[in-house]
Amino acid sequence: MRTHENTAAPPTVTPAAVISGIGSCLPPRVVDNDAVIARGALLTDPGWIRARTGIERRRHVSPGTSTGDLAVGAGRAALASAGGVRPDLVLLATSTPDHPCPATAPEVAHRLGLGTVGAFDVSAVCSGFLYALAVAAGLVRGGVCAAPLVIAAETYTAIVDPADRTTAPIFGDGAGAVLLRPGGRDEPGAVLATDLGSDGAGRAAITIPGGGARHPRHLPPPGPDAHFFHMEGRAVYAHAVRRMTRSSEAVLRRAGWGAPSVRAFIGHQANQRILDSVGDRLGIAPDHRYGNIRELGNTAAASVPLVLADPAVHRAVVPGERTLLTAFGGGFAWASTALTWPDVRPVAEEPDAGQPTEHSATGPPAAEPDAAPASTSTSAPAASPVFVPSSPL
């Protein structure tokens, strides 16, 4: 008796997805702590912001610049870094899309000249980049695509109340991106293990209460500031430290690594004290921890790829060295990734013409970092320190 035979060739399984390009896009407008305080008439001082968060400056978009604009810049920069490879999929991690509907990714793909490639948004707040990276890496390993472009872009100035002392000093705008390709697990830039988690019981701790299906805009809002971003800082702090630590431990086990062997640790740039606590609990040496929170603040989903794009970090870390990424955000949702440091040259692009540093009339001006020229292949965003010393607080 003859049986039906499936003659279709099985999909090719790739050992790993490898980072082949890294790009970034930062608004040129630098806003220091004095300016944030003056803008919102906040009852605080620059020293308090710096001591509690580790933040001294952040970038803000100019009027008319959107998340999609930043995403296009970061995507174009990543493609230049990879040598002009044409992506076959675009994933955009953001919690500040240009519109509630449609997704922002298809327009980004169109503006990048990618025609009708697949494109979709990933919404996991500050963990969005690592969620999107996990999805893209899985699609590469499964043979579904060969060159996914993963972008994380945010314009939190669109959703943060400038008069809210708990959020206004924290957030900045920016975008980072990576391009993936099929490759071997022993190559620099190989994504080796991921860990994803969530806990919807914490949904109210990081939220925009109004504007969705639960509280549509045509109904009375649940509060006068319901369309602004809200965060319960104390609860988020405790969850972020615990979840990022446990997720990092889980992904290290999957990779077969011990924490002391990690040579580059990049956590979501939420708060310097959170980063210090996670690094200490994991046992990762301070000189192997990297960040840019002092100069860029919390850029939500974009924070991890912006550190990956920092040229100072690339000068400090050797390609192929063990790298741990971790993030925590609204949902609650968290994620960690183990990879080897990529052997690529990051590229930076600006969304518009440079503007002077913004500072208050009474406070001293903040130093303007050297602006990277648009579409340059020689540098990524200047400004971020390689290592911010641990805060004693």
Side-chain angles (χ1 to χ4, degrees), residues 85-259:
V85 175
R86 183 180 177 85
D88 53 8
L89 181 69
V90 175
L91 292 79
L92 174 60
T94 186
S95 48
T96 56
D98 285 3
H99 308 281
C101 175
T104 305
E107 182 181 355
V108 171
H110 169 72
R111 291 173 61 184
L112 288 172
L114 302 181
T116 58
V117 300
F120 60 94
D121 289 1
V122 175
S123 179
V125 196
C126 299
S127 298
F129 172 73
L130 293 185
Y131 264 76
L133 182 64
V135 172
L139 293 174
V140 170
R141 289 194 304 270
V144 177
C145 59
L149 177 62
V150 181
I151 308 172
E154 302 283 16
T155 52
Y156 260 62
T157 48
I159 62 173
V160 167
D161 182 356
D164 183 354
R165 180 174 179 263
T166 64
T167 60
I170 295 174
F171 292 95
D173 304 329
V178 300
L179 185 71
L180 299 179
R181 63 166 175 81
R185 292 179 61 85
D186 57 347
E187 292 187 60
V191 179
L192 301 177
T194 60
D195 177 76
L196 307 176
S198 71
D199 181 3
R203 64 175 179 81
I206 300 176
T207 186
I208 299 177
R214 183 70 64 185
H215 296 289
R217 290 184 181 272
H218 65 273
L219 296 179
D225 57 353
H227 298 296
F228 284 122
F229 178 89
H230 292 260
M231 181 171 65
E232 298 175 7
R234 188 167 297 179
V236 169
Y237 183 102
H239 276 279
V241 171
R242 184 169 70 253
R243 300 298 192 181
M244 284 198 288
T245 300
R246 292 179 180 176
S247 180
S248 295
E249 292 170 341
V251 85
L252 289 173
R253 286 193 300 270
R254 291 172 188 172
W257 297 350

Side-chain angles (χ1 to χ4, degrees), residues 322-362:
R322 293 179 174 182
T323 301
L324 171 64
L325 314 177
T326 189
F328 174 89
F332 292 135
W334 56 88
S336 296
T337 302
L339 54 87
T340 51
W341 190 256
D343 187 12
V344 301
R345 191 175 190 180
V347 173
E349 181 166 322
E350 290 184 358
D352 50 27
Q355 297 186 27
T357 299
E358 180 179 345
H359 56 85
S360 68
T362 56

Side-chain angles (χ1 to χ4, degrees), residues 278-303:
V278 174
D280 290 345
R281 291 186 182 201
L282 291 172
I284 297 175
D287 56 350
H288 293 150
R289 308 173 193 174
Y290 297 92
N292 55 21
I293 190 171
R294 185 171 68 192
E295 301 295 333
L296 299 184
N298 181 346
T299 53
S303 75

